[in-house]
Amino acid sequence: MLAGLGLLLAGCGIRPTEVPTDAGPAPSRLPCVLDEDSVSQPPGTTPAKVYLVCGAQLVVVNRYLAEPTGPGPVPVARQLLDQLLPQPSGAERLAHFTSAVPSGTALSGPRPGDPAHTLRLTVDPAGLTGPGLAQLVCTLGESAAATAQGTVLLGGPGESPVRAYECDRELRANPARTPVPTVPVPRG
């Protein structure tokens, strides 16, 4: 009987390995799907993409922004940040969407000496969780708040340095494990 059990277990086809393997995050059974066809665009608004966290990845949802109240990236960036701060709508929560951007986060434009398009947060970007920073970078990176190269220039309060962040496919797929990609900060 023991010999039969040993043969059964040995024949399962899975061989042990001493090499650590990483097959990525486990598959999710969360829906991460919204019925956005039933939402019509309010008059006087512009469609915008906002990234929320769902199933350990970033997923785009559509939102509508008022026309910017001034020139430059700050008015658009503030509206997008306002879309990330509250917890998602009831329908979004039912589809398992969340936001990792801390409440109370605000932003302003560049300080003297900062490159153009710099956005200064009231929190140090390096202190944000991976998903929270990824949400900001990916959302702002697909808007008028990004540089011509598609990067997002973020700094924090005080003497926090300005860093240029990029949103790529790997970051959207795994924002918690992947450091948010940075590139050299453009001068000028």
Side-chain angles (χ1 to χ4, degrees), residues 20 67 115:
E67 290 297 321

Side-chain angles (χ1 to χ4, degrees), residues 53-151:
V53 179
C54 189
Q57 62 185 347
L58 295 183
V59 179
V60 72
V61 296
N62 295 315
R63 299 285 172 86
Y64 299 99
L65 306 180
E67 290 297 321
T69 57
V74 176
V76 170
R78 282 186 175 144
Q79 285 191 65
L80 289 168
L81 177 61
D82 288 345
Q83 296 295 316
L84 295 172
L85 290 175
Q87 283 305 308
S89 70
E92 291 167 344
R93 282 193 308 272
L94 284 173
H96 303 283
F97 286 89
T98 63
S99 181
V101 178
S103 64
T105 303
L107 64 81
S108 61
R111 294 193 311 227
D114 285 347
H117 268 77
T118 296
L119 301 170
R120 288 279 179 176
L121 299 173
T122 54
V123 297
D124 187 350
L128 293 172
T129 65
L133 181 56
Q135 278 185 265
L136 282 168
V137 169
C138 290
T139 298
L140 296 173
E142 292 191 19
S143 74
T147 67
Q149 296 76 29
T151 60

